[in-house]
Amino acid sequence: QVQLVESGGGLVQPGGSLRLSCAASGGTFSRYAMGWFRQAPGKARELVAAISWNGGDTLYGDSVKGRFTISRDNAKNTVYLQMNSLKLEDTAGYYCAARIDGRVSDWDKTYDYWGQGTQVTVSS
């Protein structure tokens, strides 16, 4: 059973930065595509960013392009989300997900494992 544990969330002012981490255990991390999704109250879950099994392909949601960067370290079984120039509308629960098919996808239903999430609040 794959376990995903997110960390790094918190309260930040608009324009600030945060770095989220997701540590994986119990599976073959280096074979999985990894994604970050977010969900705000009353809104649908949406893709933030995804990265292929070897890091060769990435995918970003339109609202975060140019501000967020996804990366992974297969030696550490960890995926990261660097978030810069944060906006009020980035406030949400952020969830890490793993996809056995190692290719990126923006469709959450194709991800097989999910973490519990970490809250990001952007507020002045």
Side-chain angles (χ1 to χ4, degrees):
Q1 183 72 8
V2 175
Q3 291 188 323
L4 304 174
V5 179
E6 302 95 335
S7 61
L11 175 64
V12 63
Q13 292 186 339
S17 297
L18 280 176
R19 188 195 197 201
L20 305 184
S21 299
C22 172
S25 61
T28 311
F29 177 82
S30 61
R31 296 182 181 179
Y32 303 150
M34 299 297 297
W36 286 98
F37 290 80
R38 68 185 182 186
Q39 188 167 22
K43 294 188 177 181
R45 186 161 58 188
E46 64 173 350
L47 173 76
V48 177
I51 188 166
S52 61
W53 66 278
N54 65 351
D57 193 16
T58 57
L59 182 65
Y60 292 91
D62 288 343
S63 61
V64 306
K65 286 179 181 176
R67 299 188 298 124
F68 291 9
T69 302
I70 189 170
S71 61
R72 66 188 297 158
D73 185 337
N74 285 348
K76 296 182 178 180
N77 288 358
T78 301
V79 62
Y80 305 97
L81 183 69
Q82 178 66 44
M83 305 187 295
N84 298 330
S85 302
L86 282 160
K87 303 177 180 180
L88 296 175
E89 52 264 40
D90 293 318
T91 296
Y94 282 71
Y95 299 86
C96 172
R99 188 171 190 249
I100 296 173
D101 181 321
R103 297 169 296 177
V104 297
S105 172
D106 63 356
W107 190 19
D108 58 351
K109 296 295 189 293
T110 66
Y111 286 77
D112 302 283
Y113 304 104
W114 290 83
Q116 297 282 58
T118 186
Q119 179 66 31
V120 171
T121 302
V122 184
S123 175
S124 55

